[in-house]
Amino acid sequence: MRPGEERPVEGGACGGASELEVLKLRAAERIDEAAERLGALSRAIWSEPELAYEEHRAHGVLTRFFQGEPPAASWTVQPHYQLATAFRAEWEPPGVRSAPRPLHLGFLCEYDALPGIGHACGHNLIAEVGAAAALGVKGALEGLPGPPPPVKVIVLGTPAEEEGGGKIDLIEAGAFKNLDVVFMAHPSQENAAYLPDVAEHDVTVKYYGKASHAAAYPWEGVNALDAAVLAYNNLSVLRQQMKPTWRVHGIIKNGGVKPNIIPSYSELIYYVRAPSMKELPVLTKKAEDCFRAAALATGCTVEIKGGAHDYYNVLPNKSLLKAYIENAEKLGIDFISENDAVLNGSSGSTDFGNVSFVVPGIHPYFYIGSDALNHTEEYTEAAGSQEAQFYTLRTAKALAMTALDVIFKPELLERIREDFKLKLQEEEFLNRAE
């Protein structure tokens, strides 16, 4: 097969369209045929929001969904895969097992919610779009006559994105080891093939002082609340010297128990964010210096403890992004410009960033019919609306179409792998990934 050629597609063309384009249409049709079931899946998750690592009902809804997809037993489902609320569902065309190692394509589902405001980040829609895209690829491939393409479709249920990093747990357990390309999409206020999700380190800071009566003999006390306030102010002062792309934000979680008692204990939780894993330790060191300085000034002792996992920045893959944009635009999706995405796009963090360091992948954002901002009550309402269904399934179709490009265009897969290695080299992570 010469560079640039497509892998032959069994089953012929239709009405002048290329064979691959016919398959893409078939994928979109299969998603439309499953629209009612997919909408019910999303609503079931949305209506009973669950926090990180506690998504037992969502896990049950999703595993039953794949176990019940027609024809019966077509998906091999592993509930409680590596984590209590993770799962793995696999499908491959009949006859693939006798072929050399097939291409492994992963579709990721998230389904944890936020405390107090439910699915204000639309993870019910992430679960739906991942499931729908996988169904689309399966539907396109299963009717092909002749030898099937050597491919395995894998759906991974990845809990605890909002807190803890379930994908990182799964990486460490080997769940991503044999995947070749991964796909997911995230709800937003606009369509963006890529937004610069940044690296993040969370830290808990505890100050220990000495209690005393605040009016009778305050000089006998060591004020842990003063240390927390000084730390907060130290970081506020630091911001003048921070790069525009750096972020440090946090809360005072514990500041004492009663005004007439010098607080002997205080606690802060902070998130430290930078555009890359190269910059994150630099900013983290500056923040920790602010915490230690507050302890020194007040006479408190300090305990600084980082979170279990750092979230890495998301590595873009230009070849995969280009293919996704081309497919999405055929479906009528209008994207914000690349400059707007980089300069004005949201800069949150996601554990998909860690995935993007171990396997090539794509994490586009999609409009759901509302201008409400993520992590608000208004976005919770939008994520559960019927209007969001059209945009969610349209995005799933674009992902499925892009996955078919990866299957039938070997040259595209090679470029995706080359882009992945190049980005790892830029991040100085190549040896670690290999």
Side-chain angles (χ1 to χ4, degrees), residues 398-432:
L399 288 179
M401 292 161 68
T402 306
L404 291 169
D405 281 331
V406 174
I407 294 168
F408 291 103
K409 295 181 178 179
E411 182 69 15
L412 171 61
L413 180 59
E414 280 304 307
R415 291 197 303 271
I416 289 169
R417 288 169 170 163
E418 289 169 5
D419 292 346
F420 175 63
K421 288 186 176 181
L422 179 61
K423 280 298 176 182
L424 287 180
Q425 287 173 339
E426 291 176 2
E427 294 280 341
E428 301 173 2
F429 264 71
L430 184 58
N431 292 335
R432 201 175 309 184

PDB file of all heavy atoms in Angstrom, residues 398-432:
ATOM      1  N   ALA A 398     -18.906  12.812  14.653  1.00  0.00           N
ATOM      2  CA  ALA A 398     -17.595  13.309  14.196  1.00  0.00           C
ATOM      3  C   ALA A 398     -16.463  12.455  14.754  1.00  0.00           C
ATOM      4  O   ALA A 398     -15.480  12.169  14.057  1.00  0.00           O
ATOM      5  CB  ALA A 398     -17.428  14.768  14.603  1.00  0.00           C
ATOM      6  N   LEU A 399     -16.572  12.033  16.009  1.00  0.00           N
ATOM      7  CA  LEU A 399     -15.552  11.160  16.589  1.00  0.00           C
ATOM      8  C   LEU A 399     -15.532   9.805  15.874  1.00  0.00           C
ATOM      9  O   LEU A 399     -14.450   9.267  15.565  1.00  0.00           O
ATOM     10  CB  LEU A 399     -15.801  10.954  18.079  1.00  0.00           C
ATOM     11  CG  LEU A 399     -15.529  12.127  19.019  1.00  0.00           C
ATOM     12  CD1 LEU A 399     -15.851  11.725  20.462  1.00  0.00           C
ATOM     13  CD2 LEU A 399     -14.090  12.609  18.922  1.00  0.00           C
ATOM     14  N   ALA A 400     -16.699   9.244  15.640  1.00  0.00           N
ATOM     15  CA  ALA A 400     -16.765   7.947  14.972  1.00  0.00           C
ATOM     16  C   ALA A 400     -16.191   8.028  13.559  1.00  0.00           C
ATOM     17  O   ALA A 400     -15.450   7.128  13.115  1.00  0.00           O
ATOM     18  CB  ALA A 400     -18.217   7.459  14.930  1.00  0.00           C
ATOM     19  N   MET A 401     -16.512   9.087  12.849  1.00  0.00           N
ATOM     20  CA  MET A 401     -15.991   9.268  11.498  1.00  0.00           C
ATOM     21  C   MET A 401     -14.472   9.392  11.511  1.00  0.00           C
ATOM     22  O   MET A 401     -13.776   8.845  10.649  1.00  0.00           O
ATOM     23  CB  MET A 401     -16.640  10.496  10.859  1.00  0.00           C
ATOM     24  CG  MET A 401     -18.124  10.321  10.587  1.00  0.00           C
ATOM     25  SD  MET A 401     -19.018  11.887  10.357  1.00  0.00           S
ATOM     26  CE  MET A 401     -18.320  12.460   8.820  1.00  0.00           C
ATOM     27  N   THR A 402     -13.954  10.085  12.499  1.00  0.00           N
ATOM     28  CA  THR A 402     -12.503  10.232  12.621  1.00  0.00           C
ATOM     29  C   THR A 402     -11.848   8.896  12.953  1.00  0.00           C
ATOM     30  O   THR A 402     -10.773   8.572  12.432  1.00  0.00           O
ATOM     31  CB  THR A 402     -12.168  11.270  13.703  1.00  0.00           C
ATOM     32  OG1 THR A 402     -12.856  12.497  13.415  1.00  0.00           O
ATOM     33  CG2 THR A 402     -10.678  11.543  13.769  1.00  0.00           C
ATOM     34  N   ALA A 403     -12.493   8.107  13.805  1.00  0.00           N
ATOM     35  CA  ALA A 403     -11.969   6.778  14.113  1.00  0.00           C
ATOM     36  C   ALA A 403     -11.916   5.910  12.849  1.00  0.00           C
ATOM     37  O   ALA A 403     -10.966   5.142  12.650  1.00  0.00           O
ATOM     38  CB  ALA A 403     -12.833   6.116  15.182  1.00  0.00           C
ATOM     39  N   LEU A 404     -12.920   6.033  11.978  1.00  0.00           N
ATOM     40  CA  LEU A 404     -12.904   5.276  10.725  1.00  0.00           C
ATOM     41  C   LEU A 404     -11.754   5.730   9.828  1.00  0.00           C
ATOM     42  O   LEU A 404     -11.134   4.906   9.136  1.00  0.00           O
ATOM     43  CB  LEU A 404     -14.244   5.425  10.003  1.00  0.00           C
ATOM     44  CG  LEU A 404     -15.427   4.731  10.688  1.00  0.00           C
ATOM     45  CD1 LEU A 404     -16.741   5.154  10.057  1.00  0.00           C
ATOM     46  CD2 LEU A 404     -15.267   3.207  10.632  1.00  0.00           C
ATOM     47  N   ASP A 405     -11.447   7.002   9.830  1.00  0.00           N
ATOM     48  CA  ASP A 405     -10.267   7.478   9.104  1.00  0.00           C
ATOM     49  C   ASP A 405      -9.005   6.795   9.628  1.00  0.00           C
ATOM     50  O   ASP A 405      -8.134   6.381   8.860  1.00  0.00           O
ATOM     51  CB  ASP A 405     -10.116   8.990   9.250  1.00  0.00           C
ATOM     52  CG  ASP A 405     -11.038   9.779   8.346  1.00  0.00           C
ATOM     53  OD1 ASP A 405     -11.386   9.268   7.254  1.00  0.00           O
ATOM     54  OD2 ASP A 405     -11.408  10.906   8.705  1.00  0.00           O
ATOM     55  N   VAL A 406      -8.896   6.698  10.941  1.00  0.00           N
ATOM     56  CA  VAL A 406      -7.724   6.066  11.543  1.00  0.00           C
ATOM     57  C   VAL A 406      -7.633   4.599  11.128  1.00  0.00           C
ATOM     58  O   VAL A 406      -6.547   4.086  10.844  1.00  0.00           O
ATOM     59  CB  VAL A 406      -7.765   6.199  13.077  1.00  0.00           C
ATOM     60  CG1 VAL A 406      -6.626   5.413  13.727  1.00  0.00           C
ATOM     61  CG2 VAL A 406      -7.678   7.664  13.494  1.00  0.00           C
ATOM     62  N   ILE A 407      -8.773   3.923  11.054  1.00  0.00           N
ATOM     63  CA  ILE A 407      -8.790   2.501  10.696  1.00  0.00           C
ATOM     64  C   ILE A 407      -8.382   2.290   9.248  1.00  0.00           C
ATOM     65  O   ILE A 407      -7.585   1.386   8.936  1.00  0.00           O
ATOM     66  CB  ILE A 407     -10.192   1.904  10.934  1.00  0.00           C
ATOM     67  CG1 ILE A 407     -10.520   1.908  12.431  1.00  0.00           C
ATOM     68  CG2 ILE A 407     -10.295   0.486  10.369  1.00  0.00           C
ATOM     69  CD1 ILE A 407     -11.987   1.598  12.730  1.00  0.00           C
ATOM     70  N   PHE A 408      -8.907   3.123   8.356  1.00  0.00           N
ATOM     71  CA  PHE A 408      -8.749   2.860   6.927  1.00  0.00           C
ATOM     72  C   PHE A 408      -7.703   3.719   6.238  1.00  0.00           C
ATOM     73  O   PHE A 408      -7.512   3.584   5.022  1.00  0.00           O
ATOM     74  CB  PHE A 408     -10.107   3.015   6.220  1.00  0.00           C
ATOM     75  CG  PHE A 408     -11.076   1.930   6.588  1.00  0.00           C
ATOM     76  CD1 PHE A 408     -12.105   2.169   7.484  1.00  0.00           C
ATOM     77  CD2 PHE A 408     -10.944   0.659   6.062  1.00  0.00           C
ATOM     78  CE1 PHE A 408     -12.996   1.169   7.838  1.00  0.00           C
ATOM     79  CE2 PHE A 408     -11.835  -0.348   6.407  1.00  0.00           C
ATOM     80  CZ  PHE A 408     -12.858  -0.101   7.295  1.00  0.00           C
ATOM     81  N   LYS A 409      -7.021   4.571   6.972  1.00  0.00           N
ATOM     82  CA  LYS A 409      -5.947   5.390   6.396  1.00  0.00           C
ATOM     83  C   LYS A 409      -4.655   5.142   7.182  1.00  0.00           C
ATOM     84  O   LYS A 409      -4.341   5.878   8.125  1.00  0.00           O
ATOM     85  CB  LYS A 409      -6.311   6.874   6.432  1.00  0.00           C
ATOM     86  CG  LYS A 409      -7.503   7.239   5.559  1.00  0.00           C
ATOM     87  CD  LYS A 409      -7.791   8.732   5.627  1.00  0.00           C
ATOM     88  CE  LYS A 409      -8.938   9.136   4.723  1.00  0.00           C
ATOM     89  NZ  LYS A 409      -9.230  10.602   4.814  1.00  0.00           N
ATOM     90  N   PRO A 410      -3.897   4.127   6.818  1.00  0.00           N
ATOM     91  CA  PRO A 410      -2.660   3.830   7.558  1.00  0.00           C
ATOM     92  C   PRO A 410      -1.692   4.999   7.617  1.00  0.00           C
ATOM     93  O   PRO A 410      -0.980   5.173   8.615  1.00  0.00           O
ATOM     94  CB  PRO A 410      -2.075   2.648   6.771  1.00  0.00           C
ATOM     95  CG  PRO A 410      -3.234   2.030   6.069  1.00  0.00           C
ATOM     96  CD  PRO A 410      -4.174   3.154   5.749  1.00  0.00           C
ATOM     97  N   GLU A 411      -1.669   5.798   6.560  1.00  0.00           N
ATOM     98  CA  GLU A 411      -0.763   6.947   6.565  1.00  0.00           C
ATOM     99  C   GLU A 411      -1.164   7.950   7.653  1.00  0.00           C
ATOM    100  O   GLU A 411      -0.306   8.578   8.285  1.00  0.00           O
ATOM    101  CB  GLU A 411      -0.792   7.622   5.186  1.00  0.00           C
ATOM    102  CG  GLU A 411       0.155   8.809   5.054  1.00  0.00           C
ATOM    103  CD  GLU A 411       1.613   8.386   5.057  1.00  0.00           C
ATOM    104  OE1 GLU A 411       1.905   7.190   4.873  1.00  0.00           O
ATOM    105  OE2 GLU A 411       2.467   9.279   5.242  1.00  0.00           O
ATOM    106  N   LEU A 412      -2.464   8.113   7.880  1.00  0.00           N
ATOM    107  CA  LEU A 412      -2.922   8.994   8.955  1.00  0.00           C
ATOM    108  C   LEU A 412      -2.467   8.460  10.306  1.00  0.00           C
ATOM    109  O   LEU A 412      -1.985   9.218  11.154  1.00  0.00           O
ATOM    110  CB  LEU A 412      -4.451   9.108   8.926  1.00  0.00           C
ATOM    111  CG  LEU A 412      -5.097   9.832  10.119  1.00  0.00           C
ATOM    112  CD1 LEU A 412      -4.601  11.274  10.218  1.00  0.00           C
ATOM    113  CD2 LEU A 412      -6.618   9.785  10.014  1.00  0.00           C
ATOM    114  N   LEU A 413      -2.596   7.169  10.515  1.00  0.00           N
ATOM    115  CA  LEU A 413      -2.161   6.584  11.787  1.00  0.00           C
ATOM    116  C   LEU A 413      -0.669   6.815  12.002  1.00  0.00           C
ATOM    117  O   LEU A 413      -0.240   7.122  13.132  1.00  0.00           O
ATOM    118  CB  LEU A 413      -2.486   5.093  11.805  1.00  0.00           C
ATOM    119  CG  LEU A 413      -2.093   4.329  13.061  1.00  0.00           C
ATOM    120  CD1 LEU A 413      -2.779   4.922  14.298  1.00  0.00           C
ATOM    121  CD2 LEU A 413      -2.437   2.842  12.927  1.00  0.00           C
ATOM    122  N   GLU A 414       0.115   6.694  10.951  1.00  0.00           N
ATOM    123  CA  GLU A 414       1.555   6.942  11.084  1.00  0.00           C
ATOM    124  C   GLU A 414       1.822   8.391  11.469  1.00  0.00           C
ATOM    125  O   GLU A 414       2.684   8.679  12.315  1.00  0.00           O
ATOM    126  CB  GLU A 414       2.276   6.599   9.782  1.00  0.00           C
ATOM    127  CG  GLU A 414       2.527   5.119   9.592  1.00  0.00           C
ATOM    128  CD  GLU A 414       3.297   4.508  10.754  1.00  0.00           C
ATOM    129  OE1 GLU A 414       4.366   5.040  11.104  1.00  0.00           O
ATOM    130  OE2 GLU A 414       2.814   3.510  11.334  1.00  0.00           O
ATOM    131  N   ARG A 415       1.115   9.319  10.849  1.00  0.00           N
ATOM    132  CA  ARG A 415       1.311  10.743  11.187  1.00  0.00           C
ATOM    133  C   ARG A 415       0.896  11.016  12.627  1.00  0.00           C
ATOM    134  O   ARG A 415       1.534  11.815  13.335  1.00  0.00           O
ATOM    135  CB  ARG A 415       0.515  11.632  10.224  1.00  0.00           C
ATOM    136  CG  ARG A 415       1.052  11.627   8.802  1.00  0.00           C
ATOM    137  CD  ARG A 415       0.515  12.818   8.013  1.00  0.00           C
ATOM    138  NE  ARG A 415      -0.944  12.857   7.977  1.00  0.00           N
ATOM    139  CZ  ARG A 415      -1.693  12.266   7.056  1.00  0.00           C
ATOM    140  NH1 ARG A 415      -1.126  11.558   6.090  1.00  0.00           N
ATOM    141  NH2 ARG A 415      -3.013  12.366   7.078  1.00  0.00           N
ATOM    142  N   ILE A 416      -0.193  10.380  13.064  1.00  0.00           N
ATOM    143  CA  ILE A 416      -0.645  10.548  14.449  1.00  0.00           C
ATOM    144  C   ILE A 416       0.445  10.086  15.408  1.00  0.00           C
ATOM    145  O   ILE A 416       0.744  10.762  16.406  1.00  0.00           O
ATOM    146  CB  ILE A 416      -1.955   9.765  14.666  1.00  0.00           C
ATOM    147  CG1 ILE A 416      -3.114  10.445  13.931  1.00  0.00           C
ATOM    148  CG2 ILE A 416      -2.274   9.653  16.160  1.00  0.00           C
ATOM    149  CD1 ILE A 416      -4.380   9.612  13.875  1.00  0.00           C
ATOM    150  N   ARG A 417       1.044   8.944  15.115  1.00  0.00           N
ATOM    151  CA  ARG A 417       2.107   8.439  15.976  1.00  0.00           C
ATOM    152  C   ARG A 417       3.337   9.333  15.951  1.00  0.00           C
ATOM    153  O   ARG A 417       3.998   9.542  16.979  1.00  0.00           O
ATOM    154  CB  ARG A 417       2.462   7.013  15.544  1.00  0.00           C
ATOM    155  CG  ARG A 417       1.378   5.993  15.917  1.00  0.00           C
ATOM    156  CD  ARG A 417       1.606   4.642  15.265  1.00  0.00           C
ATOM    157  NE  ARG A 417       0.698   3.628  15.822  1.00  0.00           N
ATOM    158  CZ  ARG A 417       0.444   2.469  15.247  1.00  0.00           C
ATOM    159  NH1 ARG A 417       1.032   2.155  14.081  1.00  0.00           N
ATOM    160  NH2 ARG A 417      -0.402   1.605  15.807  1.00  0.00           N
ATOM    161  N   GLU A 418       3.663   9.876  14.790  1.00  0.00           N
ATOM    162  CA  GLU A 418       4.807  10.785  14.696  1.00  0.00           C
ATOM    163  C   GLU A 418       4.550  12.070  15.481  1.00  0.00           C
ATOM    164  O   GLU A 418       5.445  12.573  16.173  1.00  0.00           O
ATOM    165  CB  GLU A 418       5.086  11.100  13.224  1.00  0.00           C
ATOM    166  CG  GLU A 418       5.659   9.928  12.443  1.00  0.00           C
ATOM    167  CD  GLU A 418       5.668  10.186  10.945  1.00  0.00           C
ATOM    168  OE1 GLU A 418       5.317  11.314  10.540  1.00  0.00           O
ATOM    169  OE2 GLU A 418       6.014   9.263  10.175  1.00  0.00           O
ATOM    170  N   ASP A 419       3.335  12.613  15.356  1.00  0.00           N
ATOM    171  CA  ASP A 419       2.983  13.817  16.119  1.00  0.00           C
ATOM    172  C   ASP A 419       3.081  13.558  17.618  1.00  0.00           C
ATOM    173  O   ASP A 419       3.548  14.415  18.388  1.00  0.00           O
ATOM    174  CB  ASP A 419       1.559  14.274  15.781  1.00  0.00           C
ATOM    175  CG  ASP A 419       1.422  14.793  14.364  1.00  0.00           C
ATOM    176  OD1 ASP A 419       2.461  15.048  13.721  1.00  0.00           O
ATOM    177  OD2 ASP A 419       0.280  14.932  13.900  1.00  0.00           O
ATOM    178  N   PHE A 420       2.651  12.394  18.034  1.00  0.00           N
ATOM    179  CA  PHE A 420       2.693  12.019  19.444  1.00  0.00           C
ATOM    180  C   PHE A 420       4.135  12.001  19.951  1.00  0.00           C
ATOM    181  O   PHE A 420       4.454  12.586  20.997  1.00  0.00           O
ATOM    182  CB  PHE A 420       2.039  10.647  19.601  1.00  0.00           C
ATOM    183  CG  PHE A 420       2.107  10.068  20.985  1.00  0.00           C
ATOM    184  CD1 PHE A 420       1.494  10.686  22.055  1.00  0.00           C
ATOM    185  CD2 PHE A 420       2.778   8.867  21.212  1.00  0.00           C
ATOM    186  CE1 PHE A 420       1.548  10.142  23.332  1.00  0.00           C
ATOM    187  CE2 PHE A 420       2.837   8.305  22.474  1.00  0.00           C
ATOM    188  CZ  PHE A 420       2.222   8.948  23.539  1.00  0.00           C
ATOM    189  N   LYS A 421       5.016  11.370  19.215  1.00  0.00           N
ATOM    190  CA  LYS A 421       6.425  11.316  19.630  1.00  0.00           C
ATOM    191  C   LYS A 421       7.047  12.711  19.654  1.00  0.00           C
ATOM    192  O   LYS A 421       7.843  13.032  20.552  1.00  0.00           O
ATOM    193  CB  LYS A 421       7.211  10.405  18.696  1.00  0.00           C
ATOM    194  CG  LYS A 421       6.907   8.929  18.886  1.00  0.00           C
ATOM    195  CD  LYS A 421       7.833   8.059  18.042  1.00  0.00           C
ATOM    196  CE  LYS A 421       7.592   6.585  18.318  1.00  0.00           C
ATOM    197  NZ  LYS A 421       8.491   5.712  17.528  1.00  0.00           N
ATOM    198  N   LEU A 422       6.699  13.530  18.683  1.00  0.00           N
ATOM    199  CA  LEU A 422       7.246  14.884  18.637  1.00  0.00           C
ATOM    200  C   LEU A 422       6.826  15.681  19.863  1.00  0.00           C
ATOM    201  O   LEU A 422       7.644  16.392  20.475  1.00  0.00           O
ATOM    202  CB  LEU A 422       6.782  15.588  17.356  1.00  0.00           C
ATOM    203  CG  LEU A 422       7.262  17.034  17.167  1.00  0.00           C
ATOM    204  CD1 LEU A 422       8.775  17.089  17.115  1.00  0.00           C
ATOM    205  CD2 LEU A 422       6.646  17.635  15.903  1.00  0.00           C
ATOM    206  N   LYS A 423       5.563  15.583  20.241  1.00  0.00           N
ATOM    207  CA  LYS A 423       5.078  16.313  21.414  1.00  0.00           C
ATOM    208  C   LYS A 423       5.745  15.807  22.689  1.00  0.00           C
ATOM    209  O   LYS A 423       6.069  16.594  23.594  1.00  0.00           O
ATOM    210  CB  LYS A 423       3.562  16.208  21.520  1.00  0.00           C
ATOM    211  CG  LYS A 423       2.811  17.158  20.607  1.00  0.00           C
ATOM    212  CD  LYS A 423       3.116  18.598  20.956  1.00  0.00           C
ATOM    213  CE  LYS A 423       2.460  19.567  20.008  1.00  0.00           C
ATOM    214  NZ  LYS A 423       2.825  20.971  20.342  1.00  0.00           N
ATOM    215  N   LEU A 424       5.957  14.510  22.789  1.00  0.00           N
ATOM    216  CA  LEU A 424       6.644  13.977  23.961  1.00  0.00           C
ATOM    217  C   LEU A 424       8.076  14.495  24.035  1.00  0.00           C
ATOM    218  O   LEU A 424       8.583  14.795  25.121  1.00  0.00           O
ATOM    219  CB  LEU A 424       6.636  12.455  23.936  1.00  0.00           C
ATOM    220  CG  LEU A 424       5.302  11.764  24.233  1.00  0.00           C
ATOM    221  CD1 LEU A 424       5.483  10.252  24.168  1.00  0.00           C
ATOM    222  CD2 LEU A 424       4.752  12.166  25.588  1.00  0.00           C
ATOM    223  N   GLN A 425       8.728  14.604  22.873  1.00  0.00           N
ATOM    224  CA  GLN A 425      10.079  15.150  22.851  1.00  0.00           C
ATOM    225  C   GLN A 425      10.084  16.599  23.322  1.00  0.00           C
ATOM    226  O   GLN A 425      10.966  17.022  24.080  1.00  0.00           O
ATOM    227  CB  GLN A 425      10.659  15.043  21.444  1.00  0.00           C
ATOM    228  CG  GLN A 425      11.024  13.622  21.048  1.00  0.00           C
ATOM    229  CD  GLN A 425      11.431  13.514  19.587  1.00  0.00           C
ATOM    230  OE1 GLN A 425      11.092  14.375  18.766  1.00  0.00           O
ATOM    231  NE2 GLN A 425      12.136  12.449  19.248  1.00  0.00           N
ATOM    232  N   GLU A 426       9.091  17.365  22.873  1.00  0.00           N
ATOM    233  CA  GLU A 426       9.000  18.759  23.301  1.00  0.00           C
ATOM    234  C   GLU A 426       8.810  18.863  24.811  1.00  0.00           C
ATOM    235  O   GLU A 426       9.313  19.790  25.456  1.00  0.00           O
ATOM    236  CB  GLU A 426       7.849  19.458  22.579  1.00  0.00           C
ATOM    237  CG  GLU A 426       8.078  19.659  21.094  1.00  0.00           C
ATOM    238  CD  GLU A 426       6.867  20.259  20.404  1.00  0.00           C
ATOM    239  OE1 GLU A 426       5.868  20.558  21.110  1.00  0.00           O
ATOM    240  OE2 GLU A 426       6.898  20.422  19.179  1.00  0.00           O
ATOM    241  N   GLU A 427       8.074  17.919  25.376  1.00  0.00           N
ATOM    242  CA  GLU A 427       7.813  17.915  26.811  1.00  0.00           C
ATOM    243  C   GLU A 427       8.896  17.174  27.602  1.00  0.00           C
ATOM    244  O   GLU A 427       8.815  17.080  28.822  1.00  0.00           O
ATOM    245  CB  GLU A 427       6.456  17.259  27.098  1.00  0.00           C
ATOM    246  CG  GLU A 427       5.279  18.023  26.559  1.00  0.00           C
ATOM    247  CD  GLU A 427       4.865  19.187  27.437  1.00  0.00           C
ATOM    248  OE1 GLU A 427       5.229  19.204  28.615  1.00  0.00           O
ATOM    249  OE2 GLU A 427       4.180  20.089  26.919  1.00  0.00           O
ATOM    250  N   GLU A 428       9.885  16.624  26.856  1.00  0.00           N
ATOM    251  CA  GLU A 428      10.975  15.873  27.487  1.00  0.00           C
ATOM    252  C   GLU A 428      10.464  14.646  28.230  1.00  0.00           C
ATOM    253  O   GLU A 428      10.966  14.279  29.289  1.00  0.00           O
ATOM    254  CB  GLU A 428      11.795  16.781  28.410  1.00  0.00           C
ATOM    255  CG  GLU A 428      12.402  17.970  27.688  1.00  0.00           C
ATOM    256  CD  GLU A 428      13.079  18.956  28.620  1.00  0.00           C
ATOM    257  OE1 GLU A 428      13.111  18.717  29.838  1.00  0.00           O
ATOM    258  OE2 GLU A 428      13.584  19.981  28.109  1.00  0.00           O
ATOM    259  N   PHE A 429       9.434  13.992  27.660  1.00  0.00           N
ATOM    260  CA  PHE A 429       8.831  12.815  28.279  1.00  0.00           C
ATOM    261  C   PHE A 429       9.006  11.565  27.423  1.00  0.00           C
ATOM    262  O   PHE A 429       8.462  10.519  27.762  1.00  0.00           O
ATOM    263  CB  PHE A 429       7.318  13.038  28.489  1.00  0.00           C
ATOM    264  CG  PHE A 429       6.979  13.524  29.865  1.00  0.00           C
ATOM    265  CD1 PHE A 429       7.308  14.806  30.254  1.00  0.00           C
ATOM    266  CD2 PHE A 429       6.328  12.705  30.766  1.00  0.00           C
ATOM    267  CE1 PHE A 429       6.986  15.265  31.514  1.00  0.00           C
ATOM    268  CE2 PHE A 429       6.002  13.159  32.029  1.00  0.00           C
ATOM    269  CZ  PHE A 429       6.335  14.432  32.416  1.00  0.00           C
ATOM    270  N   LEU A 430       9.784  11.624  26.327  1.00  0.00           N
ATOM    271  CA  LEU A 430       9.816  10.512  25.388  1.00  0.00           C
ATOM    272  C   LEU A 430      10.331   9.240  26.037  1.00  0.00           C
ATOM    273  O   LEU A 430       9.739   8.173  25.933  1.00  0.00           O
ATOM    274  CB  LEU A 430      10.665  10.859  24.170  1.00  0.00           C
ATOM    275  CG  LEU A 430      10.691   9.797  23.063  1.00  0.00           C
ATOM    276  CD1 LEU A 430       9.291   9.508  22.568  1.00  0.00           C
ATOM    277  CD2 LEU A 430      11.566  10.245  21.904  1.00  0.00           C
ATOM    278  N   ASN A 431      11.434   9.331  26.754  1.00  0.00           N
ATOM    279  CA  ASN A 431      11.998   8.135  27.368  1.00  0.00           C
ATOM    280  C   ASN A 431      11.051   7.548  28.396  1.00  0.00           C
ATOM    281  O   ASN A 431      10.928   6.339  28.558  1.00  0.00           O
ATOM    282  CB  ASN A 431      13.349   8.447  28.019  1.00  0.00           C
ATOM    283  CG  ASN A 431      14.409   8.767  26.994  1.00  0.00           C
ATOM    284  OD1 ASN A 431      14.303   8.335  25.848  1.00  0.00           O
ATOM    285  ND2 ASN A 431      15.431   9.524  27.370  1.00  0.00           N
ATOM    286  N   ARG A 432      10.369   8.431  29.143  1.00  0.00           N
ATOM    287  CA  ARG A 432       9.435   7.963  30.156  1.00  0.00           C
ATOM    288  C   ARG A 432       8.279   7.212  29.516  1.00  0.00           C
ATOM    289  O   ARG A 432       7.782   6.220  30.053  1.00  0.00           O
ATOM    290  CB  ARG A 432       8.921   9.164  30.960  1.00  0.00           C
ATOM    291  CG  ARG A 432       8.366   8.813  32.301  1.00  0.00           C
ATOM    292  CD  ARG A 432       7.991  10.057  33.088  1.00  0.00           C
ATOM    293  NE  ARG A 432       9.061  11.030  33.158  1.00  0.00           N
ATOM    294  CZ  ARG A 432       8.982  12.154  33.865  1.00  0.00           C
ATOM    295  NH1 ARG A 432       7.894  12.422  34.545  1.00  0.00           N
ATOM    296  NH2 ARG A 432       9.986  13.006  33.877  1.00  0.00           N
TER     297      ARG A 432
END
